[in-house]
Amino acid sequence: MTTKKWTLTAVSALILTACGGGSDSSGNGEASGENVPQVTLNTVLSNKCGIEIPKSGVDVFVHNNAGDIIAEYVTNSAGALTVDWPSNARHITLTAENNIYYKDQPERIVHSTVDVEAGDLGVTYFRDDSNEEGCNCKQVEFPVQSLIADAPDSILYLGGNSYELMPLTSIPAIEWCDGAGPIDVQLVAADGQSSLAGSIDLSNQTQYTLGLSDFNHEGVAVDYVNPDNARYLYALSFEGWRNYSQNDLVFVYPTLTNKSYVWPAIYGQEYVGNKLAKTYNSARHLVTSEGTTSPILLWDPTNGFVDSVNALLAEISTGQAPYQYDFTSVGDVAMTHLTLSGDTDDGHAEWAIWGGASGSMPDLKLPSALDAKFDSLNLPNLRIGVRGYDSVKTLSEWRKLIAERNRMTEYQISVLDYQTNYMELTVFLED
């Protein structure tokens, strides 16, 4: 058996050949009112500039332990659902369409969660980049000749891009939406040893001439060693400013925001079976107003992760569900996901199945039409990822914290934001 065929067989045993499951009950999302445990969830749609509204009409499937669909619901006009969680309910799936990148080609998103307990399941987010309501998006130019004269050879960070301020630097221009709020700008000195930042309101403007007076927040250099010589090293805020480097200093701005973090990331390659796969691992740590962080240690793909992936795929290849998985050797893993995605005849499709650090994964069933979409993916790929928060808790405790964070407003910080590790491996199933 070739590696390609082995990999496809392994995936199909879990996802592609899963026939549509029947439903022995259906409902409109209303709870019975009896003394039966319930689950509550919300679905939200984010438009092009990040304005959020309730997303109605999201299909919700409840599965039993074997993965069969035993109930079907739809979120209401407020994007809400509260339903009974019967004793034989074990897993849940939400599905709807995103509109990302291609306005005429939607993306079908399927989000499954295994080993679910009754209670609040939090918020599931979808996107519609074709919806510009309330955004008032326009191109804004930023003449920088005055800034070049006052701060020659500095680096300007604007809208996620950087520009070296030299005499022949062209006028930067970005698309900006009023609905996204003020834009944060940064200026890193030519020697890379100091920086300034500011926040600019671009409402009803198509041109803004930048000057030194726009940068009134002094940067604090992040005091830590780039772990494992990470290829990318970001300093960011929850509100949106960022700067990045590989070896140079990166800065935070305590007077601009107290929600700053650093984010080193490494890309690599490892073999899964005989097939070369891409790897990605990163960490995210909060930064104090003094620029310090807790020690950062990136997870190593060769430290149990690849072995655990191979073990899971070997389980799947037997076709005998449920499939056992165990990623506890990697570190303090809180959750894992297995995500299948690829192109379809009318856009894109992605199915993510989330579980704990270890456990068993059933052969989840989908309605036949949805199942057929995944059975005919073009250029499919399989991503397996693990996420942790530097401590050990039960899966139900992690999920409760995630639900609580999803319901926070104004980018409040939760315990999940103090310190995060993530690692992912991607296998392309067609060459």
Side-chain angles (χ1 to χ4, degrees):
M1 181 180 295
T2 66
T3 302
K4 180 177 179 180
K5 186 175 180 181
W6 170 81
T7 306
L8 286 170
T9 301
V11 178
S12 66
L14 175 63
I15 296 175
L16 300 183
T17 62
C19 60
S23 171
D24 59 18
S25 67
S26 62
N28 60 6
E30 296 182 359
S32 66
E34 299 176 0
N35 189 23
V36 178
Q38 296 178 338
V39 294
T40 298
L41 59 88
N42 287 84
T43 51
V44 169
L45 184 70
S46 178
N47 76 351
K48 180 176 180 177
C49 61
I51 296 175
E52 297 179 354
I53 60 173
K55 180 170 178 60
S56 62
V58 175
D59 292 315
V60 181
F61 308 125
V62 177
H63 308 265
N64 62 15
N65 189 56
D68 300 315
I69 297 175
I70 59 173
E72 301 180 26
Y73 304 99
V74 178
T75 57
N76 63 21
S77 59
L81 180 70
T82 298
V83 295
D84 293 339
W85 191 250
S87 59
N88 64 332
R90 187 68 180 272
H91 320 291
I92 197 166
T93 293
L94 287 78
T95 180
E97 286 187 346
N98 280 344
N99 284 300
I100 302 177
Y101 307 124
Y102 305 104
K103 295 184 179 180
D104 58 344
Q105 292 190 334
E107 176 184 53
R108 170 57 62 171
I109 293 293
V110 181
H111 184 103
S112 297
T113 307
V114 301
D115 298 324
V116 173
E117 296 181 357
D120 180 22
L121 303 186
V123 181
T124 301
Y125 293 92
F126 298 89
R127 285 175 54 188
D128 184 1
D129 290 350
S130 65
N131 180 356
E132 300 183 13
E133 185 175 355
C135 293
N136 189 25
C137 299
K138 69 271 186 180
Q139 287 291 122
V140 181
E141 293 183 340
F142 294 86
V144 292
Q145 291 306 312
S146 173
L147 197 58
I148 292 173
D150 292 335
D153 300 323
S154 297
I155 303 295
L156 171 67
Y157 286 88
L158 176 68
N161 296 316
S162 63
Y163 306 87
E164 188 174 0
L165 298 181
M166 302 177 67
L168 298 180
T169 298
S170 58
I171 296 178
I174 64 171
E175 182 181 61
W176 192 255
C177 306
D178 289 345
I183 181 175
D184 295 321
V185 293
Q186 296 173 90
L187 191 65
V188 178
D191 62 4
Q193 299 302 301
S194 62
S195 70
L196 297 168
S199 183
I200 299 172
D201 185 1
L202 297 176
S203 300
N204 303 315
Q205 299 195 54
T206 57
Q207 188 176 82
Y208 190 98
T209 301
L210 285 169
L212 279 180
S213 60
D214 293 310
F215 301 86
N216 47 19
H217 298 269
E218 186 173 352
V220 174
V222 178
D223 180 20
Y224 82 111
V225 177
N226 186 353
D228 303 309
N229 194 28
R231 177 179 173 185
Y232 291 107
L233 175 60
Y234 298 92
L236 311 96
S237 81
F238 282 61
E239 284 80 12
W241 64 261
R242 65 173 56 199
N243 55 72
Y244 54 90
S245 172
Q246 180 174 4
N247 299 309
D248 299 331
L249 294 176
V250 291
F251 300 89
V252 296
Y253 303 92
T255 58
L256 186 61
T257 175
N258 64 351
K259 307 179 185 71
S260 307
Y261 60 92
V262 288
W263 182 359
I266 293 179
Y267 295 85
Q269 294 180 322
E270 297 291 338
Y271 276 95
V272 174
N274 294 319
K275 193 170 183 66
L276 193 61
K278 293 184 177 181
T279 61
Y280 169 83
N281 56 318
S282 66
R284 192 178 71 184
H285 285 222
L286 280 176
V287 183
T288 69
S289 59
E290 291 77 29
T292 60
T293 72
S294 52
I296 297 178
L297 179 64
L298 293 173
W299 282 340
D300 183 353
T302 63
N303 184 26
F305 181 56
V306 174
D307 290 341
S308 296
V309 169
N310 281 321
L312 171 58
L313 294 182
E315 275 273 306
I316 295 171
S317 66
T318 67
Q320 301 298 313
Y323 310 108
Q324 306 303 312
Y325 64 94
D326 188 349
F327 289 90
T328 55
S329 64
V330 175
D332 295 331
V333 174
M335 286 169 292
T336 65
H337 74 87
L338 187 146
T339 302
L340 176 69
S341 62
D343 296 330
T344 64
D345 292 339
D346 59 353
H348 192 79
E350 178 174 295
W351 185 2
I353 302 174
W354 284 87
S358 62
S360 63
M361 190 173 294
D363 184 10
L364 291 173
K365 307 300 190 298
L366 295 178
S368 56
L370 188 54
D371 179 68
K373 185 180 289 288
F374 286 94
D375 195 27
S376 58
L377 289 179
N378 301 311
L379 303 175
N381 67 79
L382 177 68
R383 305 194 313 274
I384 299 176
V386 291
R387 186 181 302 278
Y389 303 99
D390 195 44
S391 61
V392 177
K393 292 181 174 61
T394 65
L395 179 59
S396 61
E397 289 176 308
W398 287 126
R399 285 182 170 157
K400 181 178 179 180
L401 288 171
I402 291 172
E404 291 173 351
R405 182 177 64 178
N406 285 345
R407 295 194 182 280
M408 289 181 175
T409 59
E410 299 181 356
Y411 300 100
Q412 296 180 45
I413 295 176
S414 83
V415 65
L416 300 176
D417 299 310
Y418 297 155
Q419 187 170 328
T420 304
N421 278 81
Y422 180 75
M423 185 157 52
E424 181 178 272
L425 181 148
T426 303
V427 182
F428 295 91
L429 304 181
E430 291 183 2
D431 297 326

